[in-house]
Amino acid sequence: MKRIAIFASGSGSNAEKIVNYFESSQQISVDFFLTNNAQAGIIERGKKLGVPTIVFDKKTFTRTDKIVNILKKQGIDWVILAGFLWLIPDNLIKAYPNRIINIHPALLPKYGGQGMWGHFVHEAVLANKETESGITIHFVNEHYDEGKIIFQAKCEIAANDSAEDIAAKVQVLEHKHFPEVIEQLVLAQ
Ligand code: GAR
């Protein structure tokens, strides 16, 4: 069995889709969620889904090995970032080389970097009058949104789309593709 842990800072809708996708898998299990936000929606989702959630603070995450030690002790093979907003510290990247994956709600390398998350991304895409947006799934390195790209999918932006409309189209792509891409990667290793 390959074991996954999912980090999220917010609602956790992608995390829930991933859990549902692997629910009856004999090869991949989602063992727990981790969040930096004690108010995050992912905590309620975890309760509903029966997935334990670990809440941690910035000092623990950036200045200690506690999170890495928990992941290793639990036998976690892959770390999935699904709407997680903090930079991943060096100790975690070194502990999981090419085993940390992020999803970004735009077509990187455009609209990435610190502060580019959630609605900020869609508002920037709209302001630049882009005719398409999409999702990027990529390996995580020590810089925001700069690791090797694994997968992208696109959606069209209509002339009268709002940022919320773009967000909805992007979310459809995320929910469809993220679990499938994770499955392909994990089973290929
Ligand atoms: C997703 O759209 C994800 O791409 C984005 O946060 C959202 C989380 O939604 N991530 C980033 O913006 C990272 N820079 P969710 O909590 O409903 O899964």
Side-chain angles (χ1 to χ4, degrees):
M1 187 67 92
K2 297 290 183 190
R3 304 192 175 283
I4 288 175
I6 302 178
F7 284 66
S9 302
S11 154
S13 74
N14 279 283
E16 179 164 352
K17 292 287 176 195
I18 295 165
V19 170
N20 290 340
Y21 187 86
F22 293 117
E23 202 176 1
S24 52
S25 171
Q26 303 296 314
Q27 293 162 296
I28 297 173
S29 76
V30 179
D31 284 17
F32 53 98
F33 296 153
L34 299 102
T35 186
N36 58 312
N37 176 4
Q39 315 302 326
I42 192 167
I43 296 172
E44 278 310 308
R45 290 189 200 263
K47 285 183 192 154
K48 183 181 76 178
L49 296 163
V51 178
T53 303
I54 296 165
V55 182
F56 55 85
D57 61 26
K58 193 143 206 166
K59 191 173 164 204
T60 302
F61 190 53
T62 58
R63 297 207 214 149
T64 76
D65 287 326
K66 193 173 166 194
I67 299 300
V68 171
N69 292 342
I70 290 170
L71 295 170
K72 289 291 181 185
K73 193 168 167 222
Q74 300 292 326
I76 295 299
D77 300 293
W78 290 80
V79 171
I80 308 298
L81 310 184
F84 183 67
L85 301 184
W86 286 354
L87 195 64
I88 300 301
D90 270 358
N91 61 341
L92 184 46
I93 287 172
K94 289 203 172 76
Y96 285 90
N98 288 326
R99 291 288 185 282
I100 309 176
I101 301 163
N102 181 47
I103 190 160
H104 188 77
L107 297 170
L108 291 174
K110 289 168 107 174
Y111 305 106
Q114 188 167 15
M116 272 293 175
W117 56 271
H119 65 100
F120 294 112
V121 175
H122 307 305
E123 281 158 13
V125 166
L126 189 69
N128 280 349
K129 299 187 169 39
E130 297 283 359
T131 55
E132 61 179 21
S133 190
I135 64 169
T136 303
I137 298 168
H138 64 95
F139 289 113
V140 171
N141 65 15
E142 56 283 350
H143 305 290
Y144 280 107
D145 303 325
E146 286 185 16
K148 184 167 174 269
I149 292 174
I150 300 162
F151 176 89
Q152 292 186 307
K154 291 178 182 176
C155 56
E156 286 183 9
I157 301 175
N160 57 351
D161 273 354
S162 63
E164 290 73 25
D165 294 328
I166 300 170
K169 290 178 181 178
V170 165
Q171 192 183 55
V172 169
L173 293 177
E174 292 189 328
H175 289 175
K176 173 171 168 30
H177 293 292
F178 202 16
E180 293 173 0
V181 171
I182 292 167
E183 181 176 43
Q184 282 165 20
L185 273 174
V186 171
L187 296 186
Q189 301 293 323

